[in-house]
Amino acid sequence: PGLSYTWIFNNTTLDLQEDRRRFVSQATGNLYLAKVEPWDVGNYTCTVSSAQARRQVWGPPTALTLRGDGVMGEYEPKIEVRFPETTYAARGSSVRLECFALGK
């Protein structure tokens, strides 16, 4: 509770209000893209913020590229966030929450 997920595309925050092809789950942080287009190619970075902790953490950028042959096989696009259901931390300690994307 209290975590918010945002995705940055090529150093610009994704505005998903009017975007019917992209969706960010606020439960998992996953970014979903439907019908990838050439203009979707670029770098995606996940940010996780907590209003309660007054903190925002940025993940590393992940590049999205298009394959020319259209074959995905073992590289089927997959975006995952792996957070335990509950994360405990002592006040003043550091917590690392990681999200990433797989695919080509």
Side-chain angles (χ1 to χ4, degrees):
L3 295 179
S4 178
Y5 305 94
T6 304
W7 282 84
I8 310 299
F9 173 62
N10 292 335
N11 297 319
T12 302
T13 301
L14 280 176
D15 181 10
L16 303 175
Q17 296 286 340
E18 310 242 344
D19 191 335
R20 297 183 187 268
R21 292 185 317 108
R22 297 183 280 198
F23 168 76
V24 175
S25 167
Q26 289 302 310
T28 64
N30 292 354
L31 170 65
Y32 299 93
L33 282 87
K35 300 180 182 176
V36 174
E37 299 289 348
W39 52 83
D40 292 321
V41 169
N43 290 310
Y44 290 82
T45 303
C46 178
T47 68
V48 181
S49 57
S50 168
Q52 184 178 12
R54 297 181 187 149
R55 176 100 193 234
Q56 183 177 38
V57 178
W58 291 55
T62 300
L64 174 67
T65 58
L66 294 181
R67 287 184 58 124
D69 58 12
V71 177
M72 294 309 293
E74 66 179 299
Y75 298 107
E76 182 176 334
K78 183 177 178 183
I79 297 174
E80 295 182 2
V81 177
R82 294 185 183 168
F83 297 119
E85 197 166 302
T86 303
T87 301
Y88 297 95
R91 177 179 239 150
S93 67
S94 297
V95 175
R96 181 177 175 172
L97 304 176
E98 184 175 345
C99 56
F100 61 93
L102 302 172
K104 292 217 176 221

